[in-house]
């Protein structure tokens, strides 16, 4: 029984890596990815005569070092990659469908994307008018006349 454990240990570490990757893919929380990365060298270290206690210690230390040192950088990088629709605030749009009081119309941005639009002051805005975006609520631009 004791001879069986060292032979299976690389597969156990591989299983831990796969489970951590699956959890990370499901949650995208940037926590278990570091455990998965820390588990990769342990697959190879388990082939040596290093005891299981030392392997576990190396795994835990590597996971925490990776988590503490690289997670803030990864979050900062991923935050930059996400586009925020509120970047439309202050931009000029063209009304392509008239906006009536308490009804939505349509507006086209400079890059050609058509959005639902609503007047900020609930006034009528005619088709082909130029407006500025004052805010974004969901998929609706809140606009006001220039």
């Amino acid at each position: 029984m004791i001879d069986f454990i060292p032979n299976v240990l690389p597969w156990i570490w591989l299983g831990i890596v796969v489970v951590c990757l699956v959890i990370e893919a499901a949650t995208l929380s940037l926590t278990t990815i570091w455990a998965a990365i820390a588990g990769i060298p342990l697959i190879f270290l388990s082939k040596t005569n290093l005891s299981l206690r030392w392997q576990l210690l190396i795994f835990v230390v590597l996971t925490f070092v990776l988590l503490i040192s690289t997670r803030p950088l990864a979050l900062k990088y991923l935050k930059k990659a996400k586009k925020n629709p509120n970047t439309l605030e202050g931009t000029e749009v063209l009304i392509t469908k008239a906006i009536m009081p308490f009804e939505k119309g349509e507006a086209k941005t400079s890059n050609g994307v058509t959005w639902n639009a609503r007047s900020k002051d609930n006034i009528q805005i005619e088709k082909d008018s130029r407006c500025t975006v004052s805010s974004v609520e969901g998929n609706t631009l809140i606009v006001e006349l220039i």
Side-chain angles (χ1 to χ4, degrees), residues 8 17 28 51 82 93 116 142 146:
V8 177
V17 168
L28 296 174
S51 72
K82 289 183 181 178
V93 294
N116 290 327
I142 311 303
I146 296 178

Side-chain angles (χ1 to χ4, degrees), residues 3 5 13 17 23 26 36-37 47 54 61 64 66 71 81-82 84 88 96 107 109 130:
D3 294 335
I5 293 175
W13 285 115
V17 168
I23 292 170
I37 293 170
K47 291 285 195 176
W54 283 105
V61 168
F64 281 114
L66 286 170
R71 187 172 190 265
K82 289 183 181 178
N84 187 355
L88 291 173
T96 56
T109 60
R130 295 205 177 273

Side-chain angles (χ1 to χ4, degrees), residues 18-128:
V18 169
V19 167
C20 289
L21 287 175
V22 168
I23 292 170
E24 185 63 39
T27 63
L28 296 174
S29 61
L30 284 179
T31 51
T32 57
I33 188 73
W34 312 122
I37 293 170
I40 293 171
L42 271 296
I43 295 170
F44 301 103
L45 279 176
S46 63
K47 291 285 195 176
T48 65
N49 291 332
L50 197 61
S51 72
L52 181 59
R53 288 182 184 158
W54 283 105
Q55 290 179 38
L56 288 172
L57 179 66
I58 291 170
F59 176 72
V60 170
V61 168
L62 253 173
T63 300
F64 281 114
V65 166
L66 286 170
L67 180 69
I68 291 169
S69 64
T70 57
R71 187 172 190 265
L73 295 172
L75 285 175
K76 186 177 179 181
Y77 176 75
L78 290 175
K79 207 174 268 188
K80 281 184 185 177
K82 289 183 181 178
K83 278 208 165 187
N84 187 355
N86 293 335
T87 57
L88 291 173
E89 291 177 4
T91 60
E92 189 175 317
V93 294
L94 176 68
I95 303 301
T96 56
K97 180 181 172 189
I99 300 171
M100 299 300 188
F102 303 104
E103 288 185 25
K104 292 181 181 178
E106 290 181 355
K108 186 181 275 190
T109 60
S110 61
N111 61 0
V113 178
T114 302
W115 290 72
N116 290 327
R118 188 168 48 90
S119 170
K120 180 180 179 182
D121 303 322
N122 289 320
I123 60 171
Q124 182 174 340
I125 301 176
E126 297 298 323
K127 181 181 175 184
D128 296 326

